[in-house]
């Protein structure tokens, strides 16, 4: 008796020609700068920086925070603060629809996420913006989240680190978006008075009202290589001043040369750089002597929190709309 018997009625179907190829989608990506094919896993290991040419791929906000904190561990803060539609704004589609779409695409509740955790020996409150959420635009909820982050840092006497990536203020919230510029800077002034460090990191791209406010007032301002940083876009400036702009205008290296930045730091060295900077800036002796800032109320919402009558954002899972 044979060990195996061929079943006569079962035919193996030939694979059609168009499917006869090794499936490599989602395994390789092409470097946008040098066109080199990159193995996705290698790219992840090099923190989304091309190992051949050093091109920095854009990064989502959760990855940024994981790369920053010790062992990637942090406590997410104020995830319940999200945008509402205070102006009932409609452009090509209604603003609430746009918000829903942004949440789906980015998997985030807002254009920024905030976290509390340790960076080296230091307690840090960090925020990271995400371009996938309506171009990383700054609406009322983004402003509120950053302000709360700063107020928490004041209460716990910690440092603030913010990774900016933004197209600017969110036009669907009009002037309310612009008010966030002043609001965040006012909170940063308190941080400054309390002698606590604020490190601003500009990533590709940082433009508009974000550049014009909190991103540019760090105690140390760092950028990633070749990041686009500016207020208005180069085309708008060229049309306004009717002049050709210099090459690499608004790139991190150009801005460093012209004194707008303190350093351009490779992403793979960013964490070590920040730890060194925090060691330099945070003097434990001074920390012990300075009393906790008196301006900040202890209720968890601070000076700009829920008492403010005109605040335009919503706290999710809470009945009070403020
Ligand atoms: Zn490359």
């Amino acid at each position: 008796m044979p060990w195996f018997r061929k079943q006569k009625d079962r035919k193996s179907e030939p694979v059609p020609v168009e499917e006869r190829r090794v499936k490599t989608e989602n395994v390789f990506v092409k470097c946008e700068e040098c066109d080199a094919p990159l193995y996705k896993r290698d790219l992840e290991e090099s923190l989304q920086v091309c190992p051949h040419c050093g091109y920095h791929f854009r990064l989502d906000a959760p990855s940024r925070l994981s790369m920053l904190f010790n062992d990637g561990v942090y406590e997410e803060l104020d995830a319940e603060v999200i945008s509402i539609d205070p102006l009932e704004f409609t452009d090509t589609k209604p603003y609430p629809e746009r918000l829903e779409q942004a949440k789906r695409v980015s998997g985030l509740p807002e254009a920024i996420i905030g976290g509390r955790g340790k960076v080296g020996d230091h307690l840090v409150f960090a925020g990271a913006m995400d371009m996938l959420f309506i171009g990383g635009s700054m609406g009322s909820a983004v402003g509120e989240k950053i302000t709360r982050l700063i107020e928490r840092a004041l209460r716990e006497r910690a440092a603030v680190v913010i990774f900016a990536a933004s197209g600017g203020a969110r036009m669907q919230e009009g002037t309310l978006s612009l008010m966030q510029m002043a609001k965040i800077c006012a909170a940063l002034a308190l941080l400054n008075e309390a002698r606590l460090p604020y490190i601003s990191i500009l990533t590709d791209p940082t433009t508009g009202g974000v550049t014009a406010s909190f991103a540019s007032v760090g105690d140390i301002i760092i950028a990633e290589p070749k990041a686009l940083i500016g207020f208005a876009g180069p085309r708008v400036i060229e049309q306004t001043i009717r002049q050709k702009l210099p090459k690499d205008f608004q790139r991190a290296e150009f801005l460093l040369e012209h004194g707008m930045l303190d350093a351009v730091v490779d992403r793979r060295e960013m964490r070590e750089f920040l730890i060194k900077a925090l060691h330099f800036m945070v003097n434990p002796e001074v920390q012990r002597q300075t009393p906790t800032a008196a301006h900040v109320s202890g209720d968890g919402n601070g000076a700009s929190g829920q008492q403010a009558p005109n605040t335009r954002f919503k706290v999710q899972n809470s009945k009070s709309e403020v």
Side-chain angles (χ1 to χ4, degrees), residues 31-36 38 50-55 57:
C31 173
E32 289 173 32
E33 184 86 9
C34 71
D35 283 349
L38 303 171
C50 171
H52 303 287
C53 70
Y55 174 75
F57 285 78

Side-chain angles (χ1 to χ4, degrees), residues 61 81 83 99 102 106 108-113 128-139 141-142 145 163 165-166 170:
V81 179
S83 299
L99 285 171
S106 66
L108 298 174
E110 247 311 321
I112 190 166
I113 54 168
M129 303 184 83
D130 201 306
M131 278 300 287
L132 284 181
F133 198 104
I134 320 186
S137 53
M138 174 173 59
V142 169
K145 284 175 89 142
F163 293 89
S166 179
R170 192 172 296 168

Side-chain angles (χ1 to χ4, degrees), residues 90-282:
T90 299
D91 46 293
T92 48
K93 64 173 88 165
Y95 181 40
E97 227 172 85
R98 213 172 266 286
L99 285 171
E100 279 313 310
Q101 191 189 3
K103 280 178 203 169
R104 260 200 320 276
V105 172
S106 66
L108 298 174
E110 247 311 321
I112 190 166
I113 54 168
R116 173 190 188 278
K118 280 283 184 88
V119 179
D121 302 331
H122 302 281
L123 179 61
V124 168
F125 286 83
M129 303 184 83
D130 201 306
M131 278 300 287
L132 284 181
F133 198 104
I134 320 186
S137 53
M138 174 173 59
S140 308
V142 169
E144 178 64 16
K145 284 175 89 142
I146 299 176
T147 310
R148 286 188 184 193
L149 211 61
I150 299 164
E151 287 170 349
R152 284 173 195 275
L154 273 166
R155 277 195 296 276
E156 295 194 44
R157 295 210 55 79
V160 175
V161 172
I162 295 175
F163 293 89
S166 179
R170 192 172 296 168
M171 64 159 196
Q172 289 88 347
E173 291 184 34
T175 242
L176 297 165
S177 288
L178 299 180
M179 281 163 56
Q180 307 310 313
M181 296 164 66
K183 175 169 147 180
I184 297 167
C185 286
L188 284 172
L190 294 183
L191 197 73
N192 187 42
E193 267 177 42
R195 294 188 242 170
L196 293 168
Y198 163 47
I199 301 178
S200 173
I201 300 152
L202 316 184
T203 72
D204 186 61
T206 300
T207 56
V210 169
T211 312
S213 63
F214 65 89
S216 300
V217 295
D219 296 314
I220 299 183
I221 307 170
I222 306 168
E224 284 192 336
K226 295 197 176 161
L228 173 78
I229 299 158
F231 181 61
R235 216 164 2 132
V236 176
I237 301 176
E238 278 185 357
Q239 281 164 8
T240 311
I241 63 172
R242 290 167 203 275
Q243 273 183 45
K244 197 93 192 104
L245 292 169
K247 197 178 161 279
D248 288 335
F249 176 72
Q250 293 186 322
R251 290 284 162 194
E253 291 72 12
F254 185 92
L255 295 175
L256 178 69
E257 235 169 76
H258 291 80
M260 304 289 285
L261 297 174
D262 296 305
V264 174
V265 180
D266 191 295
R267 188 181 292 157
R268 292 163 290 187
E269 289 149 23
M270 186 67 83
R271 197 178 118 85
E272 288 312 308
F273 186 97
L274 290 175
I275 292 174
K276 221 192 252 179
L278 288 170
H279 273 317
F280 177 73
M281 294 166 89
V282 182

